[in-house]
Amino acid sequence: MSELLFVLPSYLSWHYSRSLTDYLRLWARMLWFVVHVFSMSTLVATLFSPWRRMDEKYPRQLDLGAWGEVLIVNLLMRLVGFVARVTVLAFGVLALVFVLIGGAASLLVWLAAPALVPALASIGVWLVVVG
C-alpha cells in the first residue's frame, strides 16, 4: 500500500502532463492526416476543373456547331469533375468530423480515467455485495 502512495503522484503527474501533450499531438496528426489523405486543399483549389483534365480544344475556324459541341463537352467534364470532387470532399469532411468528435470523446475519457477507475471498481464491489 505504501508503494501506491509513492507511485500515484508520479502517475498523476505523467497522466496530466506528458501523456496529455502526447495525446493532443497525436490528435493533431490524425487531423492533418485526414486533411491530406483526402487532398482537401487541392480539391477545393481545382473544384471547377475538368474531370481528369479531359477537355476539348476549340477549333480555330469559325464553326458555331463545332464550338457548341466543344462548349457542351467541356461543361459536362467540368460538371463531372465538380460532382466527383464535392463527393470526395464530403467524405473527407465526414472523416474529419469523426476524428474531431472521437478525439474529443477520447480526451474526456482520458481526463476522467484516474477518477473513473476507482469509482467503477467501487461500484462493481458494491454491486457484488448487494446483488
Side-chain angles (χ1 to χ4, degrees):
M1 184 68 180
S2 65
E3 293 87 15
L4 181 63
L5 295 176
F6 290 114
V7 172
L8 190 59
S10 297
Y11 170 74
L12 290 176
S13 172
W14 169 82
H15 186 87
Y16 288 112
S17 63
R18 179 162 181 205
S19 68
L20 190 58
T21 58
D22 287 347
Y23 176 80
L24 293 174
R25 191 176 303 119
L26 174 66
W27 191 16
R29 286 181 184 169
M30 290 174 66
L31 291 170
W32 179 91
F33 173 76
V34 169
V35 167
H36 285 81
V37 82
F38 284 98
S39 303
M40 290 183 173
S41 59
T42 303
L43 288 175
V44 169
T46 62
L47 197 58
F48 295 104
S49 297
W51 176 247
R52 297 190 180 254
R53 297 186 198 143
M54 296 173 74
D55 59 344
E56 298 290 323
K57 302 298 178 210
Y58 287 97
R60 294 194 182 267
Q61 67 274 11
L62 183 59
D63 183 6
L64 293 179
W67 276 57
E69 290 174 10
V70 171
L71 178 68
I72 289 173
V73 167
N74 286 344
L75 285 175
L76 283 174
M77 288 300 109
R78 287 181 191 274
L79 180 67
V80 169
F82 177 79
V83 169
R85 287 177 182 92
V86 166
T87 303
V88 174
L89 273 172
F91 280 113
V93 167
L94 187 65
L96 200 59
V97 167
F98 280 141
V99 170
L100 279 170
I101 291 172
S106 298
L107 179 63
L108 291 175
V109 169
W110 183 256
L111 292 174
L116 281 176
V117 170
L120 291 175
S122 300
I123 291 170
V125 169
W126 182 77
L127 287 174
V128 167
V129 171
V130 171

